[in-house]
Amino acid sequence: MLALIYYRQLKRWVDTGIFDAYPVLVERGLQPTTDKVYAADHYRAIADMLFDAVKWVKNQRTLDQFIILDDWLTEPEEKERLFSLTERLSAALTKEECQRLESWKTINWKG
């Protein structure tokens, strides 16, 4: 459900990373009560969480400690892929939110 909420909110800027998870669940022996089951890949899930945090967490230090990228993505090419995705989300952010996002990216880039 969460992936679908963000998908609807952000699909204008980012139409990637959301997939139909129904077949995956069935393949693993689960029987969803609906055939509409969506999920996000790691990059999209992190981008969605970051988008939300940049919008609602006004304190930069709190934001920097809230999402620590090395907890999920440790390789430089993985971070580049996420940063590319966040560039597209910048169109949905205010100037102040973009500045917080850029500051977060600088702190989390250890390539």
Side-chain angles (χ1 to χ4, degrees):
M1 181 64 143
L2 186 58
L4 184 57
I5 291 168
Y6 277 114
Y7 176 73
R8 288 181 179 153
Q9 182 180 1
L10 301 175
K11 71 178 179 178
R12 177 177 175 193
W13 297 281
V14 180
D15 195 14
T16 186
I18 303 292
F19 62 94
D20 179 2
Y22 182 84
V24 176
L25 296 175
V26 170
E27 181 180 301
R28 289 183 170 82
L30 299 171
Q31 296 300 317
T33 58
T34 178
D35 61 348
K36 303 253 188 249
V37 181
Y38 299 95
D41 65 24
H42 276 84
Y43 299 98
R44 178 59 187 267
I46 296 168
D48 287 352
M49 185 170 63
L50 184 57
F51 176 82
D52 195 44
V54 165
K55 289 204 124 338
W56 301 111
V57 177
K58 303 301 182 194
N59 180 291
Q60 187 67 47
R61 183 181 170 121
T62 302
L63 175 64
D64 296 340
Q65 294 173 351
F66 180 68
I67 302 174
I68 300 170
L69 190 54
D70 281 337
D71 289 348
W72 293 295
L73 306 175
T74 57
E75 299 300 320
E77 52 276 355
E78 293 174 325
K79 292 178 182 182
E80 286 291 340
R81 183 173 168 190
L82 175 68
F83 291 170
S84 174
L85 192 58
T86 62
E87 287 300 317
R88 290 184 265 165
L89 290 176
S90 295
L93 300 172
T94 67
K95 183 178 179 181
E96 182 182 310
E97 292 163 349
C98 284
Q99 290 171 340
R100 283 199 301 273
L101 175 62
E102 289 305 313
S103 177
W104 177 87
K105 286 166 61 175
T106 300
I107 286 169
N108 279 276
W109 176 251
K110 297 171 190 155

